[in-house]
Amino acid sequence: LAQILQSFPSHLPPRATNHLSGFSPVAGMPWGVYVNKVDRRAFFEAQPNLCFVNSLSLELKPMEFKSGKFGWQASKPNQKVKVALAKETVEAQVFLSCKADVVGKFEMCTRRFLELQPTLEVSDIAEDAEPYEFQTSSWGWHAHRSQVVTVGGEALQVIVNFQAVLKGTKQAHGNADALADENAGTVVPKSHCQKEDGCLAQILAQRPTPAKKQRRVV
């Protein structure tokens, strides 16, 4: 055994050593740091539709929110999109976030809802998304709708809020664009939901509204 071990070289051959020393650190990788190339003014003048490079599949997962209410939520970072501007089409990335709040009067409790584990497919809501500048200074697309979802035999009134925030557009706090807008579809506390219409109005009022909705310049 000793003779076999002595037959092996005591150091790596030059070729192997050069291979290891030539390994580039992460900072030197070709992809580098993501930079947004979508011009803000051109974006709001063109009013482009939300167009994904790959087919979107957005299935919300059931969960209990901090308020004690329940509903569905999901997010997807770094989704590739094509932004059709007046003079060019620019590739970009968006952070998708979507939340569905159960509103109005219902008999189902949180425990029963979570036991049933219902999912909610809302991929088609992206088709209705419109360009928005959010109050947090980031911008992208936003959509919302009201729908009825049957869970465990009970029809639940649901408000769905969807947003696709262009990565790198937040001016003040780096690239945490969608995280800053995480109050989308904020659940109204139970004490404020005495009437179904009032609760629905408050949910809609709390959706992420733009600082200024830009319109196409003719």
Side-chain angles (χ1 to χ4, degrees):
L1 178 60
Q3 292 180 358
I4 293 176
L5 292 175
Q6 289 177 0
S7 66
F8 284 92
S10 58
H11 58 83
L12 290 173
R15 183 176 180 181
T17 304
N18 293 337
H19 177 73
L20 292 175
S21 62
F23 181 79
S24 301
V26 174
M29 291 300 180
W31 48 83
V33 177
Y34 175 83
V35 177
N36 173 55
K37 296 182 180 180
V38 181
D39 180 75
R40 178 182 178 280
R41 181 174 180 177
F43 177 80
F44 285 111
E45 286 180 349
Q47 292 286 297
N49 293 326
L50 178 55
C51 180
F52 292 94
V53 173
N54 302 311
S55 299
L56 174 66
S57 177
L58 186 57
E59 185 178 76
L60 309 188
K61 304 300 183 182
M63 65 179 299
E64 180 181 2
F65 302 122
K66 293 181 180 179
S67 63
K69 289 278 191 173
F70 57 85
W72 295 264
Q73 192 169 22
S75 63
K76 287 189 172 185
N78 305 326
Q79 299 297 297
K80 294 181 179 180
V81 297
K82 290 184 178 180
V83 186
L85 305 178
K87 297 182 179 180
E88 61 179 340
T89 297
V90 181
E91 291 190 355
Q93 294 182 16
V94 295
F95 188 112
L96 294 184
S97 60
C98 191
K99 185 179 180 184
D101 295 291
V102 179
V103 300
K105 297 179 180 180
F106 50 87
E107 297 181 358
M108 183 169 296
C109 65
T110 302
R111 180 177 179 180
R112 175 60 175 163
F113 179 79
L114 296 177
E115 286 177 349
L116 293 172
Q117 284 291 299
T119 57
L120 183 60
E121 171 63 40
V122 293
S123 301
D124 61 330
I125 195 173
E127 299 174 4
D128 299 323
E130 297 181 349
Y132 266 88
E133 180 181 1
F134 298 96
Q135 292 178 338
T136 54
S137 80
S138 55
W139 36 279
W141 293 264
H142 171 254
H144 72 277
R145 72 185 181 199
S146 174
Q147 65 184 81
V148 176
V149 180
T150 301
V151 178
E154 182 176 358
L156 303 175
Q157 183 71 31
V158 175
I159 300 295
V160 183
N161 276 284
F162 167 89
Q163 57 188 29
V165 183
L166 276 166
K167 185 177 179 180
T169 60
K170 187 165 178 62
Q171 300 173 9
H173 304 291
N175 291 334
D177 306 309
L179 296 180
D181 295 318
E182 64 182 357
N183 61 345
T186 303
V187 179
V188 178
K190 185 176 181 180
S191 59
H192 295 286
C193 292
Q194 300 300 325
K195 295 183 178 181
E196 181 175 354
D197 293 341
C199 181
L200 179 60
Q202 290 182 53
I203 289 290
L204 291 174
Q206 293 189 24
R207 70 182 187 272
T209 54
K212 182 179 180 181
K213 183 175 181 179
Q214 305 287 342
R215 296 186 180 277
R216 186 190 302 270
V217 177
V218 180

